[in-house]
Amino acid sequence: MKVKSERKRFFIGNQIEECRDLSGLYYLLPCEKGFTVKWTVQKPVWDYMFNNICHIEDKAVIMTQPLFNFKTIQEITDEIFFEEYEIKSMFRLNPCDLAKYEYVNNVVGKHVSCIVVDSGFSFTTIVPYIGGKKYYPAARRINVGGKVLTNYLKEIISYRQLHVMDETYVINQVKEDSCYVSSNFKEDMRIASSHGDANTIIKSYVLPDFNNIRRGYIQESGTGADNNAEGCQILRLNNERFTVPELLFHPSDIGIESVGIAECIVKSIFLCPEKDRPHLSKHIVLMGGNCKFPGFKERVYADLRSYLPDHWPVNVYKPENPITFAWKGGKALASDPKVKSLFITKEQYEERGSAYTYERFSDWLHGEKRTTEETPKLTNEAVPSSILQSGSFTRFDLFGKHELENEEPSDNVNENTSSDKLSKEATNDTKTDTGNGDNLKDNESSESRDIDVHQDDDSNKAKYKNSALMDTNETDLCDTNFFASYDFNIFNNSFI
Amino acid sequence: MTISKLTTRGSTRLKEHEKRRIVDDTSRKRRHRKMIESLDADNYHEDPHADLVMSKKIPKFEDNLETRTRSKKKEKSPEYYQMKFRKHILQLLDEDRVEAETAGRYSYMDMASEDTNIPYRHFCAVCGFFSQYVCLTCGMRYCTIKCMDTHTDTRCLKWAG
């Protein structure tokens, strides 16, 4: 994502630190609905990433892309990476695949069916994986993400208190710092409407003035007078604190005709074959910045528990850092020796062009609506237990490079949500990485960190912020980070 | 004289009532759609300084930032890619849908979630708590007389345009 402030200067990722006055900030986003459409914005971000932070020439790159990424977008991506950046090889896939990969291999440790819920900036996607493959018929998207929440909060604050419609950045921080998911909505409503000490929900939020206070914070009771004396602007947050995240669970509250997250998971489960349903409910993976709201996981669990039959086990897994979860998956994937066959090399690209990469990386192309093809694949898949088993992987493994068309199993669903998130995640994780990359990696990690400065800062308080920022940035930065980190991993581990 | 008398006569309540314009269903829907769209906005701004011509005195930050390692020959400007792209997202979605239909595969559209079975909850448009009453004019919700006054003074009809 790009952030731009007053002058003719862009701030990319961590460069935001250099920005003095964050109040006039506005975003230049390369993405719309999770798809990269503004190449004039995207390209400089990549340039910055790959020129200054990490270098990807002659490396292998894993990149995330939204589900159903369009052909034209993929073509341009190919062109940029293969021809301009001269990477060695590339593999593109959906963030949910990575999350699933990470979950199956490093969390559960054995091969299971699971549902990945990715709640991102533009929307929330729910993708079930059965027997290692995406199950397209049950994949669902809810058009509510961090973006809507921030905009909604912005709107109600502007109406009820201060005019903040132009302060997306600040309000996003407010959202991350103060919002939470209510586990008992009616009760919280009652508390919020009471007066005096009985109201434990109401909080004062001190807005940043960018001189003394760089980032806003929730004011603890008792210290109010001092800050007031300094002339800070204060927001009173009452029911906003939980009605805003509530939109994820009840989009109908603002008239969006859609089911909420919990309901949607249930629907998705019931769209799957009957024998798999209890298994799916046992493995629900939450990822994406929205999951950082306090109480999110508990709420999902409580709602699911009440919706699903009581003899089904329900288990909701929220990774430590939901934002970087998919990135971790990518990191693990990169060091998996089997992944090599998934890549398309520069030579292959030069020989067969962009149409080829499009076919290889767009697994949804090969999914007939409700088909018979899946079963044989499943049996085959046992081989690469660790690797993404969303058809693509297995195909390649089994069939080598060229025969893709027929073989691709039907079911991969890519999520639209956003590659963005992943990329951000990627950046964060890079810090934590150990080992493999050596120098390169180290550099990368530090750099990526820098870029993600937003996130890092946020991470303290961040609930949502990440999601929103990330999304915006993510497409740009995240991707880049992602690439880079992967590159190193792969490079070191498996490719030399 | 006679004219002014006529105008002063009659029930003020009735006159008030006539003045009140009741927003019909279509414009209520339109208002609602606009609201959703504004919520869904990506916060993308066209660059307001795009046509700003920088004077030479101002340092150009971009130059300092970039340490180019690749040969200039391979570099293409972002505008080049944008030119190549030149499509709107909705256009893309539409093309994709058509293509998916002919190929019988899943597409972006198929993933959209359904409407909920749960009855909608209603919230006061002013204070955000549960509301029981509907503004006769525009159909928005409010919970108390206080909120109603605020509503009629401010928001009523705002999105009706």
Side-chain angles (χ1 to χ4, degrees), chain B residues 39-86:
Chain B
L39 282 181
D40 205 33
D42 279 306
N43 303 318
Y44 178 83
H45 293 251
E46 288 300 329
D47 185 354
H49 304 291
D51 50 353
L52 194 82
V53 181
M54 298 294 276
S55 85
K56 283 176 188 168
K57 285 172 191 168
I58 300 173
K60 288 177 184 167
F61 295 105
E62 286 85 359
D63 294 343
N64 307 336
L65 289 174
E66 311 273 321
T67 51
R68 302 232 176 245
T69 54
R70 289 184 297 277
S71 60
K72 281 276 179 195
K73 226 193 293 174
K74 295 242 166 70
E75 294 276 337
K76 284 171 186 158
S77 74
E79 285 74 21
Y80 165 80
Y81 294 107
Q82 189 67 58
M83 279 297 293
K84 232 186 140 185
F85 190 65
R86 180 172 17 84

Side-chain angles (χ1 to χ4, degrees), chain A residues 328-339:
Chain A
K328 276 186 185 170
K331 194 179 134 220
L333 177 67
S335 45
D336 192 317
K338 289 185 178 139
V339 79

Side-chain angles (χ1 to χ4, degrees), chain A residues 1-5 9-11 26-31 38 40-42 45 472-473 475-476, chain B residues 42-48:
Chain A
M1 80 177 178
K2 271 201 172 180
V3 189
K4 199 178 180 193
S5 90
R9 151 119 204 233
F10 298 105
F11 294 94
Y26 58 93
Y27 292 90
L28 294 178
L29 304 182
C31 300
K38 300 279 181 190
T40 42
V41 179
Q42 178 75 76
V45 175
T472 59
N473 287 335
T475 45
D476 302 340
Chain B
D42 279 306
N43 303 318
Y44 178 83
H45 293 251
E46 288 300 329
D47 185 354

Side-chain angles (χ1 to χ4, degrees), chain A residues 4 6 26 28-29 32 39 79 84 86 141 147 151 159-160 239 246 253 255 258-259 263 369 416, chain B residues 32 39 41-42 45 47-49 74 80-82 84 89 104 108 111 113-114 116 121 126-127 154:
Chain A
K4 199 178 180 193
E6 317 280 343
Y26 58 93
L28 294 178
L29 304 182
E32 235 174 280
W39 295 94
E79 191 176 333
E84 186 162 320
E86 297 186 313
R141 181 191 61 245
K147 177 176 71 182
N151 285 341
Y159 180 51
R160 294 177 195 165
N239 59 16
E246 185 70 13
D253 286 357
S258 168
V259 290
E263 248 183 300
K369 287 205 178 186
N416 291 327
Chain B
H32 180 247
L39 282 181
D42 279 306
H45 293 251
D47 185 354
H49 304 291
K74 295 242 166 70
Y80 165 80
Y81 294 107
Q82 189 67 58
K84 232 186 140 185
I89 181 80
Y108 182 85
M111 280 184 65
S113 59
E114 305 86 353
T116 176
R121 301 184 295 191
V126 179
C127 68
T154 56

Side-chain angles (χ1 to χ4, degrees), chain B residues 1 3 5 20 22 31 37 46 59 63-65 73 76 80 109 117 126 134 152-153 161:
Chain B
M1 282 299 278
I3 294 170
K5 259 185 190 173
R20 176 182 277 167
I22 296 194
R31 176 192 66 191
E37 274 170 16
E46 288 300 329
D63 294 343
N64 307 336
L65 289 174
K73 226 193 293 174
K76 284 171 186 158
Y80 165 80
M109 297 299 180
N117 295 327
V126 179
V134 174
T152 43
D153 288 347

Side-chain angles (χ1 to χ4, degrees), chain A residues 355-396:
Chain A
Y356 177 64
T357 55
Y358 179 61
E359 292 220 326
R360 280 275 296 260
F361 296 142
S362 313
D363 39 18
W364 55 90
L365 286 182
H366 311 284
E368 300 282 311
K369 287 205 178 186
R370 203 55 293 219
T371 60
T372 54
E373 268 185 60
E374 313 161 15
T375 36
K377 297 288 166 174
L378 283 178
T379 55
N380 291 336
E381 286 182 12
V383 185
S385 64
S386 57
I387 295 171
L388 299 178
Q389 294 184 347
S390 57
S392 60
F393 194 70
T394 51
R395 294 168 222 153
F396 299 119

Side-chain angles (χ1 to χ4, degrees), chain A residues 278-293:
Chain A
H279 299 289
L280 288 171
S281 70
K282 210 160 55 176
H283 298 284
I284 293 165
V285 183
L286 305 177
M287 61 177 259
N290 291 342
C291 303
K292 288 196 139 193
F293 280 120

Side-chain angles (χ1 to χ4, degrees), chain A residues 196-477:
Chain A
D197 290 343
N199 190 344
T200 51
I201 288 170
I202 195 162
K203 289 270 193 286
S204 299
Y205 188 88
V206 181
L207 289 175
D209 59 3
F210 300 115
N211 285 327
N212 304 316
I213 310 169
R214 186 155 173 91
R215 184 185 169 119
Y217 55 90
I218 291 181
Q219 196 173 54
E220 300 306 324
S221 54
T223 59
D226 313 331
N227 285 323
N228 282 334
E230 289 168 21
C232 299
Q233 287 185 311
I234 291 186
L235 290 180
R236 299 285 286 167
L237 297 169
N238 193 9
N239 59 16
E240 293 89 349
R241 288 187 63 210
F242 58 91
T243 50
V244 170
E246 185 70 13
L247 297 182
L248 290 168
F249 295 91
H250 289 279
S252 56
D253 286 357
I254 52 166
I256 295 178
E257 292 178 359
S258 168
V259 290
I261 286 185
E263 248 183 300
C264 196
I265 296 174
V266 173
K267 284 204 174 182
S268 177
I269 289 178
F270 278 98
L271 283 168
C272 291
E274 205 170 340
K275 67 176 168 48
D276 294 312
R277 290 175 194 166
H279 299 289
L280 288 171
S281 70
K282 210 160 55 176
H283 298 284
I284 293 165
V285 183
L286 305 177
M287 61 177 259
N290 291 342
C291 303
K292 288 196 139 193
F293 280 120
F296 185 89
K297 180 186 162 191
E298 291 74 15
R299 174 65 183 271
V300 171
Y301 176 80
D303 281 8
L304 287 180
R305 189 65 277 179
S306 62
Y307 279 127
L308 294 172
D310 66 350
H311 58 279
W312 292 6
V314 174
N315 188 16
V316 180
Y317 173 75
K318 188 180 100 173
E320 218 169 285
N321 186 347
I323 294 170
T324 54
F325 189 64
W327 181 86
K328 276 186 185 170
K331 194 179 134 220
L333 177 67
S335 45
D336 192 317
K338 289 185 178 139
V339 79
K340 199 173 171 185
S341 58
L342 295 181
F343 282 86
I344 287 185
T345 62
K346 190 156 182 282
E347 291 74 41
Q348 280 172 317
Y349 169 75
E350 279 162 358
E351 189 186 326
R352 318 189 87 198
S354 192
Y356 177 64
T357 55
Y358 179 61
E359 292 220 326
R360 280 275 296 260
F361 296 142
S362 313
D363 39 18
W364 55 90
L365 286 182
H366 311 284
E368 300 282 311
K369 287 205 178 186
R370 203 55 293 219
T371 60
T372 54
E373 268 185 60
E374 313 161 15
T375 36
K377 297 288 166 174
L378 283 178
T379 55
N380 291 336
E381 286 182 12
V383 185
S385 64
S386 57
I387 295 171
L388 299 178
Q389 294 184 347
S390 57
S392 60
F393 194 70
T394 51
R395 294 168 222 153
F396 299 119
D397 259 349
L398 296 175
F399 298 104
K401 300 124 204 173
H402 301 291
E403 308 163 9
L404 315 172
E405 305 173 2
N406 298 330
E407 277 131 77
E408 302 192 3
S410 53
D411 286 355
N412 301 331
V413 174
N414 287 333
E415 292 192 350
N416 291 327
T417 49
S418 55
S419 54
D420 305 344
K421 283 190 172 180
L422 290 181
S423 57
K424 250 200 174 177
E425 296 176 356
T427 55
N428 277 341
D429 286 0
T430 43
K431 312 174 196 172
T432 59
D433 293 353
T434 56
N436 297 340
D438 297 341
N439 298 331
L440 289 179
K441 210 184 182 180
D442 291 345
N443 290 336
E444 212 187 355
S445 63
S446 61
E447 291 175 353
S448 57
R449 224 202 214 171
D450 293 344
I451 291 178
D452 289 352
V453 170
H454 291 295
Q455 281 193 341
D456 291 345
D457 290 342
D458 296 344
S459 60
N460 302 333
K461 298 178 175 182
K463 305 167 185 179
Y464 244 113
K465 205 183 188 177
N466 289 337
S467 64
L469 285 180
M470 289 184 71
D471 282 323
T472 59
N473 287 335
E474 285 169 4
T475 45
D476 302 340
L477 296 180

